Amino acid sequence: MSRFWSPNVHSLTPYVPGEQPREQLIKLNTNENPYSPAPGVGSILRDFRTDHLRLYPDPSSHELREALARTFGVEVEQVFVGNGSDEVLAFAFQAFFCHQQALQMPEISYSFYPVYCNLYGITRSALPLDAQWRIDLDAFSNDAGGVVFANPNAPSGHGHTRKDINTLLERIRDTVVLVDEAYVDFGGESVIPLVAEHDNLLVTGTFSKSRSLAGIRLGYAVGSRELIEGLERVKNSFNSFPVDSLCSAVAIAALEDKEHFEACRTAVITTRENTRQRLEQLGFDVLPSQTNFLLTSHPKYDAAQLFVGLRKRGILVRHFNTEALNNWLRISIGTDNEMNSLIEALESLCA
Ligand SMILES: *Cc1c(COP(=O)(O)O)cnc(C)c1O
């Protein structure tokens, strides 16, 4: 508490990201990609003209947005970019969700959503997941102040089909539906093709997970021109240059290498399913996952204790201190070697 803070700063509850440890640990706690970015990224960094950094970057990030538009088969005016999808989400909450009516979201989803609500004074309505830990799409209503969810969802891992979400969009036409596709490349079905039909659909994505570029901080949104213009208005009232020139060049190189992208995401999916099998052999319950992590719980061993035991063995996973998730661990998918170490450590902890 400080007498110097603006009044609403006292009541903020900031998001706490997974730990970025200083010591060498097998890091399976923040869903980073275990593989290097596309080789073209290395050439960009080696050849980048230092003198170029004198200049401000293009405030509209035109070239990068063009590359994304090509990738997704949309117009450049339908693409927005920002400093991580977290920033894109923050802009979207401000641009579309500051209404009288409550913003609807699943009770269990990305824990940054309630934080933005708090920041912008948005009332929130949290809807329970169904018995299989799936989002109940029928529970969202057209008269809400907006709808936001991650698809596939985090940390539950389940993803709805494009057809399911299309049915939702046929019913919800008067408020913005934001679908956060941070994990879609690991087995989900993107709803970007639905943007052409639904002017209230905003889809966000990130370079942090499937593109192995969490360090550059780049996220994007795809939607109708009207929605993208709303985001631009907020962005240009906040920071004209959220995406720097080095970041743009790196991201374009990453987008161009489709082969590397396919190889990495396929490897993660294969390792995920092997890991699932091995966890189940150890008696763990493992939720189905279309993401680069597994949410798992053991009927006999306490998740908090397993977390501590793994950490002592040099392996960092994510444990959430909430009632619903207290006995679950979220384990990011690393390389096969890293997952071998994880399984060995769990074997000794569950012996
Ligand atoms: C990781 C994650 C993000 C944030 O991505 P950045 O681009 O790194 O900010 C957004 N949404 C969900 C659901 C995530 O898991």
Side-chain angles (χ1 to χ4, degrees):
M1 294 292 233
S2 157
R3 65 195 170 96
F4 300 118
W5 297 352
S6 307
N8 71 329
V9 172
H10 291 274
S11 58
L12 295 180
T13 34
Y15 177 76
V16 184
E19 185 188 346
Q20 296 293 354
R22 265 183 289 272
E23 69 265 45
Q24 274 289 322
L25 293 174
I26 295 181
K27 199 172 169 304
L28 307 175
N29 69 328
T30 52
N31 301 339
E32 288 141 328
N33 200 305
Y35 303 108
S36 285
V41 168
S43 335
I44 293 287
L45 292 174
R46 275 188 301 275
D47 302 342
F48 196 82
R49 282 176 40 217
T50 311
D51 185 55
H52 199 62
L53 292 177
R54 286 186 308 110
L55 307 172
Y56 281 109
D58 169 12
S60 76
S61 300
H62 195 82
E63 236 184 296
L64 170 59
R65 287 168 53 234
E66 265 182 348
L68 284 161
R70 274 196 303 279
T71 304
F72 298 127
V74 297
E75 300 297 321
V76 66
E77 295 81 10
Q78 295 182 284
V79 180
F80 179 83
V81 289
N83 185 251
S85 65
D86 285 343
E87 185 184 78
V88 176
L89 288 166
F91 289 164
F93 273 56
Q94 191 165 20
F96 310 122
F97 296 148
C98 295
H99 300 295
Q100 213 66 51
Q101 309 98 302
L103 170 64
Q104 293 189 318
M105 66 183 71
E107 195 164 43
I108 295 175
S109 196
Y110 188 35
S111 40
F112 227 133
Y113 306 152
V115 175
Y116 298 133
C117 287
N118 202 225
L119 176 63
Y120 295 122
I122 299 166
T123 325
R124 179 172 82 98
S125 157
L127 309 174
L129 299 187
D130 73 10
Q132 275 82 49
W133 292 71
R134 295 177 308 206
I135 295 171
D136 179 9
L137 295 179
D138 295 336
F140 295 125
S141 54
N142 190 43
D143 59 5
V147 169
V148 59
F149 59 94
N151 190 62
N153 196 20
S156 48
H158 173 266
H160 282 282
T161 61
R162 184 181 305 150
K163 193 161 167 282
D164 285 348
I165 295 175
N166 193 48
T167 305
L168 172 78
L169 289 163
E170 272 163 9
R171 199 165 55 72
I172 300 196
R173 295 182 172 277
D174 300 317
T175 192
V176 170
V177 176
L178 197 173
V179 181
D180 177 348
E181 294 192 344
Y183 297 106
V184 77
D185 296 325
F186 302 107
E189 204 176 1
S190 176
V191 294
I192 288 179
L194 302 182
V195 156
E197 305 272 307
H198 300 280
D199 60 2
N200 62 330
L201 170 63
L202 189 75
V203 183
T204 59
T206 175
F207 279 62
S208 299
K209 279 110 189 198
S210 58
R211 305 272 174 189
S212 305
L213 285 168
I216 64 165
R217 309 304 302 128
L218 183 67
Y220 54 86
V222 180
S224 61
R225 287 158 197 256
E226 188 183 340
L227 294 187
I228 298 307
E229 196 189 326
L231 289 172
E232 291 289 346
R233 287 174 71 92
V234 173
K235 173 229 150 196
N236 290 325
S237 307
F238 180 83
N239 179 2
S240 306
F241 308 103
V243 178
D244 62 75
S245 40
L246 198 49
C247 171
S248 279
V250 161
I252 291 168
L255 278 177
E256 279 167 357
D257 196 337
K258 299 205 163 46
E259 217 172 300
H260 181 81
F261 170 68
E262 286 299 328
C264 291
R265 68 178 185 143
T266 308
V268 168
I269 292 169
T270 306
T271 305
R272 178 186 73 210
E273 293 312 311
N274 284 335
T275 307
R276 163 196 312 289
Q277 247 179 18
R278 297 171 75 189
L279 287 170
E280 285 172 352
Q281 282 162 6
L282 291 175
F284 282 87
D285 295 321
V286 191
L287 292 187
S289 171
Q290 297 174 20
T291 65
N292 66 341
F293 58 80
L294 292 168
L295 192 67
T296 186
S297 168
H298 199 292
K300 284 200 276 202
Y301 299 94
D302 177 58
Q305 279 171 14
L306 288 175
F307 172 86
V308 173
L310 285 172
R311 172 126 205 173
K312 278 190 191 137
R313 286 163 175 77
I315 301 170
L316 190 53
V317 299
R318 191 84 189 259
H319 178 246
F320 298 93
N321 259 327
T322 64
E323 202 183 312
L325 293 167
N326 200 29
N327 205 32
W328 293 80
L329 294 175
R330 193 195 68 188
I331 304 176
S332 309
I333 302 305
T335 61
D336 284 326
N337 274 340
E338 289 175 323
M339 300 326 269
N340 285 340
S341 305
L342 169 86
I343 296 293
E344 276 167 29
L346 287 173
E347 275 167 355
S348 74
L349 288 166
C350 300

